Amino acid sequence: MRTDPEGRGPVRYGPPPPDDGLPVLPELTAVLAAAAARRHAEPVGGGLSLLAAACDYGARRGLPARTDHMAAAPGAPSLLLALTAALGGDVLVPRPCAAWWGPYARLLGRPVFHVATPAECGGVPDPYALLETVRRMRAEGGDPRLLVLSVADDPTATVAPPEVLHETVEAAAGEGLHLVSDETWRDTLHAPHKTVLLSPAEMLPDRVTVVTDLAGSLLPTGWPAAIARFPANGSGDGLRARVLDVLTALDARVAAPVAAAAAHALTEPEPITAHRTVVGHLHARVAAAAHAVVTGAGALCRPPQAGRHLYVDLGPLRPALTAQGVGDAQDLEDFLAARLGMPTPGGHRFGDDLGALRVRLATGPLLGATDEERAECLTSPNPLELPHVQRALISLKSVFDDLRDDAQRWEPPR
């Protein structure tokens, strides 16, 4: 079993966040085009109109703030890099976690420690495993200061139950950790009226910075913009000042036309919210269909609750995969990508064990191969019955069913 996936693990080969695969809303392109003639750059940390819109957006979610407690940057990675640099110390993340969390700490020479997640969900460390990891780090001379987590998670597509989140937040608070809550996917819940999502900032307001990449539900992934909400106290003010210093050193500004589109989207006018609702329902239906396919073939997968993806464990199908020369997550990534014709990043991209046969499957590629096919999904009352969506799901089912049948043939007789 190899431990180095043959040089294919550098940051530049890492998987991007799951894209919705859909055409850009015309209202947003109009706002962007209208601002394209602006000559002046957006201030580092965001201009007043963008920050004011971000404050209102947070207040509607129970997270009120003033503009001097907010900052904007060209994407959440810029904010996480700045926060990691400003806070110092060692970083803790759940296993698995978003592919882009770890590289920024390693870039700064900071150790990253992965903590196991509870059975109920991903995105949030198990509180007992967190306490044991912190104890071990300190015993070995480490300096744990920052815990990054996500209530609505990439890659597992789960939402942390409030009781689980509360125990983890209490454990982190007891150890004096600062929390960064990545809430990029909070507005992509598949059943928003049935799923309870709480932010750690509601539980521990003095020690939580909330980061939201607007590519989660408001902007196209090619228009980078993200917002951060800092604690409303002296330590939060100091942290924001240090983050702005780092962003200034990087000249990390939101492009002025993108800032205009972001400010407009954050006000959540009816066309934006209606589009977000339709997109959310579409991806929820496709994710549920894909989940039925993979679990029907014998793979393990938590029911997806948010986002545009699902996280699949093909461990039960290992005999069939071994016969195909698949021994680890990198092999599995290559094997499935070739057969499905879509990116299937292995779990090692998300900090999972290389030897575990896990992948993240995105729902966007299942919506069609052209803009016209994908746009048709938005207007169809039964998108799963569209021919191009059916073909994609049939292809997925064929690959997984073949693995199931092969695995059954390789099972030893009882």
Side-chain angles (χ1 to χ4, degrees), residues 137-217:
M137 290 168 66
R138 289 181 173 145
E140 296 173 355
D143 182 20
R145 296 190 195 179
L146 170 61
L147 168 63
V148 188
L149 49 74
S150 56
V151 182
D153 185 45
D154 170 26
T156 65
T158 58
V159 176
E163 60 274 14
V164 172
L165 180 65
H166 188 268
E167 292 179 3
T168 299
V169 169
E170 276 196 336
E175 296 299 330
L177 302 177
H178 189 90
L179 278 66
V180 169
S181 176
D182 177 6
E183 302 189 5
T184 295
W185 303 101
R186 69 168 297 153
D187 290 334
T188 66
L189 299 184
H190 294 178
H193 300 297
K194 297 179 181 179
T195 306
V196 178
L197 185 151
L198 291 180
S199 169
E202 298 177 69
M203 303 177 180
L204 191 67
D206 291 344
R207 300 190 69 88
V208 177
T209 298
V210 175
V211 171
T212 305
D213 197 308
L214 303 190
S217 65

Side-chain angles (χ1 to χ4, degrees), residues 22 277-283 285-286 367 371-390:
L22 297 165
T277 298
V278 172
V279 171
H281 287 163
L282 170 61
H283 281 280
R285 295 177 70 176
V286 176
L367 302 180
D371 284 345
E372 291 74 19
E373 287 180 346
R374 292 187 286 267
E376 190 178 1
C377 293
L378 286 173
T379 57
S380 172
N382 296 298
L384 297 184
E385 297 179 6
L386 292 172
H388 53 276
V389 177
Q390 284 192 332

Side-chain angles (χ1 to χ4, degrees), residues 3 5 9-10 14-15 92-103 106 112-117 123 153-156 311 329-330 333 345-360:
T3 57
L92 298 108
V93 297
R95 183 192 299 275
C97 68
W100 56 273
W101 288 0
R106 290 193 292 270
V112 178
F113 294 84
H114 291 267
V115 186
T117 55
D153 185 45
D154 170 26
T156 65
Y311 196 59
Q330 180 64 65
E333 175 181 309
H348 61 301
R349 308 289 187 183
F350 309 100
D352 228 333
D353 293 332
L354 178 63
L357 297 179
R358 300 186 185 115
V359 294
R360 186 188 70 188

